[in-house]
Amino acid sequence: MEDYNKIIESLGVKFVKARHIRILQPITIKNFYDVQNSLTILYDGEVSFGAEESHKVEEGDMLFIPGGKHATVTYGNTQTAKTVSNEEFMTNRDNYIDAGHDPALIGKLPNSFGLISFEAKVFDTVNFFTSLDVPPFLIKRDDQIAATINQILTEDMLDTPGKGRIIKIKTEEVVIEIIRYILKNKLFVEQLVTNSTYFKDPRLIDIFAYIKDNLGGDLSNKVLANVANVSEDYVGQYFKMLTGINPQDYIEYQRMEKAVDLLRTSKKSIRAIGSDVGYKDTAYFCRRFKMMFGIPAGKMRRRESLMNV
């Protein structure tokens, strides 16, 4: 337990968005994907997730999808839901969902859910839930988390002094409660044991920090080996042994995550963004981006994010 206290203390939590969504038309999104973690609470109607085996979210329950995880999600009745790609949904989402802005109606509309998304990074570098390889999962009715989500939604809709500070504190509470829920219910025990070992090796933390600070530069295994003071032949095995993934896959994810952030927050050209995150060939960057997110980089910029309505 002491190790998890250390991890929680080291977590940098960043609120991204909150939405109160009403489902206008049942829809199944085959490749739901976002770089941020999302937590959805179902107020009324139907939500389910899973491709091979569908899991139903009951009213009052919450669906947690870690950032970087592909998922199949259905909003509304599964029997009548229209199946679309991530790209189709983002292009025509006004046909499927509508966002409310009245805090008095939170949880009171038919076919509605609340959604918050956030980052949670160890030392502001390692995506915590992604690094643990935690899959999307259900949080059964938890009144404390539900109340906190509703407070975040309410604060986000209002223009009151200190709302940013309140939202930050409440988002941190949500992250801690999710970790407590995982530990209390002994979820993903194997992943937690296997993939949290990175926290105990400062050399690996040095690699994470170096990658974060040099996304546009040379991040070959030779460079990473020098950072960690291990041999070039061993660094890939070393990294995968402690994280469960090879370093170049991790680097690509970090580069794409940064690209999404730049697309949403800057006016840089796609060519410039690709270069900033280490892709000198713009066409290759665009191909890899669409392969990862299911939509072109330009469309991500226009739509900003899956639920940003």
Side-chain angles (χ1 to χ4, degrees):
M1 198 59 66
E2 182 181 351
D3 286 341
Y4 291 109
N5 283 329
K6 289 180 179 178
I7 291 173
I8 289 171
E9 287 300 315
S10 72
L11 277 180
V13 177
K14 178 184 176 183
F15 169 79
V16 177
K17 61 178 177 286
R19 298 289 182 267
H20 183 216
I21 304 291
R22 184 165 60 96
I23 303 166
L24 301 178
Q25 177 183 337
I27 182 174
T28 296
I29 306 169
K30 294 293 289 183
N31 55 344
F32 180 103
Y33 188 98
D34 204 347
V35 295
Q36 280 91 31
N37 309 289
S38 68
L39 184 62
T40 297
I41 178 170
L42 179 61
Y43 295 127
D44 180 79
E46 296 182 35
V47 170
S48 58
F49 68 103
E52 300 296 327
E53 181 182 357
S54 182
H55 302 276
K56 186 176 181 181
V57 182
E58 302 289 344
E59 292 179 8
D61 291 349
M62 286 153 273
L63 170 61
F64 177 65
I65 303 180
K69 287 290 182 182
H70 286 276
T72 296
V73 183
T74 299
Y75 300 110
N77 188 293
T78 55
Q79 302 300 316
T80 59
K82 177 183 177 182
T83 300
V84 300
S85 67
N86 200 12
E87 181 176 359
E88 158 66 16
F89 173 70
M90 292 184 71
T91 302
N92 298 298
R93 63 188 173 188
D94 291 346
N95 296 331
Y96 308 115
I97 60 173
D98 180 47
H101 303 284
D102 185 350
L105 296 179
I106 293 174
K108 297 179 181 179
L109 296 176
N111 299 310
S112 67
F113 61 90
L115 177 143
I116 63 170
S117 72
F118 54 88
E119 294 179 354
K121 294 185 175 182
V122 179
F123 302 123
D124 290 324
T125 302
V126 185
N127 291 284
F128 177 64
F129 294 107
T130 305
S131 71
L132 294 181
D133 197 28
V134 172
F137 69 92
L138 195 61
I139 297 177
K140 299 301 291 183
R141 183 180 290 270
D142 186 306
D143 292 340
Q144 183 167 347
I145 300 179
T148 306
I149 292 173
N150 290 347
Q151 287 176 300
I152 293 172
L153 288 168
T154 299
E155 287 288 339
D156 193 55
M157 291 179 185
L158 299 174
D159 187 19
T160 52
K163 85 172 200 176
R165 185 70 178 271
I166 293 294
I167 289 174
K168 181 179 186 297
I169 292 170
K170 294 299 178 183
T171 305
E172 290 177 343
E173 288 181 17
V174 167
V175 172
I176 292 171
E177 289 300 329
I178 291 172
I179 295 172
R180 286 179 174 178
Y181 185 90
I182 290 173
L183 296 175
K184 178 182 177 182
N185 291 278
K186 297 181 171 60
L187 301 177
F188 323 117
V189 174
E190 185 176 344
Q191 289 99 316
L192 291 174
V193 171
T194 303
N195 298 326
S196 63
T197 53
Y198 66 82
F199 185 76
K200 301 175 183 178
D201 194 325
R203 293 177 300 173
L204 192 59
I205 298 300
D206 288 343
I207 291 179
F208 286 137
Y210 187 86
I211 290 171
K212 177 187 176 184
D213 293 338
N214 296 277
L215 286 175
D218 181 4
L219 292 175
S220 63
N221 281 4
K222 181 178 181 179
V223 171
L224 300 185
N226 289 333
V227 173
N229 196 28
V230 298
S231 73
E232 182 179 353
D233 292 337
Y234 176 65
V235 70
Q237 178 185 344
Y238 163 78
F239 191 95
K240 187 169 184 178
M241 178 177 65
L242 293 179
T243 66
I245 59 175
N246 71 61
Q248 295 308 316
D249 286 345
Y250 174 81
I251 289 166
E252 180 168 57
Y253 176 80
Q254 294 301 312
R255 282 173 163 161
M256 289 301 179
E257 183 185 52
K258 181 62 177 178
V260 170
D261 180 62
L262 290 171
L263 285 165
R264 291 173 173 172
T265 60
S266 78
K267 295 183 179 180
K268 289 185 175 183
S269 68
I270 290 174
R271 179 185 295 275
I273 289 172
S275 179
D276 284 351
V277 299
Y279 292 88
K280 305 311 176 188
D281 184 333
T282 304
Y284 180 71
F285 165 68
C286 290
R287 286 198 303 272
R288 295 300 300 170
F289 190 96
K290 185 170 183 181
M291 184 176 295
M292 180 170 288
F293 297 109
I295 60 169
K299 191 161 289 185
M300 175 71 80
R301 158 163 282 162
R302 289 195 297 272
R303 295 296 181 172
E304 289 189 3
S305 67
L306 203 59
M307 290 296 175
N308 192 17
V309 291

